[in-house]
Amino acid sequence: MGGTVPVSTATAHSGEIGIYQDAIGTVTPLYTDSVTAQVTGVITEVHYREGQMVKQGDPLVDIDARQYEAQLAQAEGALERDQNLLAQAQMDLERYKVAWDKNAIPRQTLEDQEKLVLQDQGTIKNDEGVVAYDKVQVGYCHITSPITGRVGLRLVDPGNLVTANSTTTLVVVTQMQPITVVFTLAEDALPAVLQQTRHGQALKVEALDRAQQGHLATGKLSSIDNQIDTTTGTVKLRAQFDNRDGILFPNQFVNTRLLVRTLENQTLIPSSAIQHNGNQDFVYVIQDNKAAMRTVKVGNSDKGETAVTQGLNPGEVVANSSFEKLQNGSQIAISKIKLPSTSSDTTGSPAQ
């Protein structure tokens, strides 16, 4: 048998393991607003700093409002004048009614005055509309943030002339909290996801960095697209993240892990303890200081552990190193320090 082989060991235990669907995704804000000018004028002040976090209603850009304020003053003056004309016409109407009751004036004079009052009322409505419109124009001169978010780089400077309804963007505001990640799944994985969502399950989604080494954030699946892309055979999904620490950034590339369901009462061992011989998986079970090769059937893997569905029970001890020296029946000595393993373990999660 080649003498005693020092090995490190692992003990099979009962636990739970998740079934995940891995995908690539892009961080996508819920709202991105590109603000343009709705009036023509010279920019007098830019209030925001590049990269600043702003709240809804915070001032961003001021446009010279003097001409619009002058137009508003004219409209308000016209309204005030016509209001007094209406008041005068109404007083005359009351006088004509008294005179008509005394047969002092013809019926036609009274009716003409009634129509004159209605005309003045229509003029007032028109004046009120002009005043309201001019107030809106003055409001457009003081641009505020439509949402709470982060502003981008400064795109305009004071002194520049902007025109109404042009395509020139004055500032871009992007919502950062909460934020979403849009990712795609193969259509074959969709039924399992739909089965969980139909039962009201809020499926957890983890966002990982490009190298799949660093955990960035944890969120929940918020929506599924309404059709499958026939060119790729995939469907888009959206997950929402609180992003309180701002670690997720718009258009950032991330890897996602969608937890479809959790299997409980599974027999788990380190993935590194499982060896492969063609299509056969096996472990070395340690009994009476000897290694006994045993064929097993494996299921899902997650975070360095693999579920063994057949061939192993919780509490049994298996070898976790020195596989290049082990054979069926080898005499072993348990090492307290884990030795390098030559396992050819594959950590991907097989479909269930």
Side-chain angles (χ1 to χ4, degrees), residues 13-20 204 257-271 274 298-309 347-350 352:
H13 64 280
S14 179
E16 61 181 31
I17 193 168
I19 297 178
Y20 289 87
K204 184 175 73 172
R257 303 191 74 209
L258 172 63
L259 178 60
V260 179
R261 62 192 180 102
T262 301
L263 302 178
E264 299 179 348
N265 300 320
Q266 301 293 299
T267 301
L268 306 178
I269 60 173
S271 299
I274 300 175
V298 301
N300 293 275
S301 298
D302 180 41
K303 297 180 180 178
E305 289 193 321
T306 297
V308 177
T309 58
T347 58
S349 300
Q352 295 299 303

Side-chain angles (χ1 to χ4, degrees), residues 193 195-204 220-221 259-260:
V193 176
Q195 183 179 8
Q196 297 299 316
T197 56
R198 289 193 183 108
H199 289 84
Q201 294 291 331
L203 302 185
K204 184 175 73 172
K220 293 182 178 180
L221 182 68
L259 178 60
V260 179

Side-chain angles (χ1 to χ4, degrees), residues 37 39-43 63 67 156-163 166 168 170:
V39 293
T40 298
V42 175
I43 295 176
I63 298 173
Q67 61 174 330
V156 293
D157 298 314
N160 288 334
L161 176 67
V162 294
T163 57
S166 68
T168 302
L170 304 183

Side-chain angles (χ1 to χ4, degrees), residues 324-340:
E324 73 282 0
K325 300 177 182 179
L326 284 177
Q327 298 179 17
N328 190 32
S330 294
Q331 191 76 24
I332 62 97
I334 298 177
S335 173
K336 295 182 179 180
I337 302 176
K338 184 175 179 179
L339 301 175

Side-chain angles (χ1 to χ4, degrees), residues 233-264:
T234 60
V235 62
K236 290 182 179 179
L237 297 90
R238 186 188 297 272
Q240 183 167 312
F241 298 80
D242 291 336
N243 200 33
R244 291 191 178 94
D245 54 3
I247 193 66
L248 297 178
F249 207 80
N251 294 335
Q252 178 183 3
F253 172 89
V254 295
N255 287 282
T256 62
R257 303 191 74 209
L258 172 63
L259 178 60
V260 179
R261 62 192 180 102
T262 301
L263 302 178
E264 299 179 348

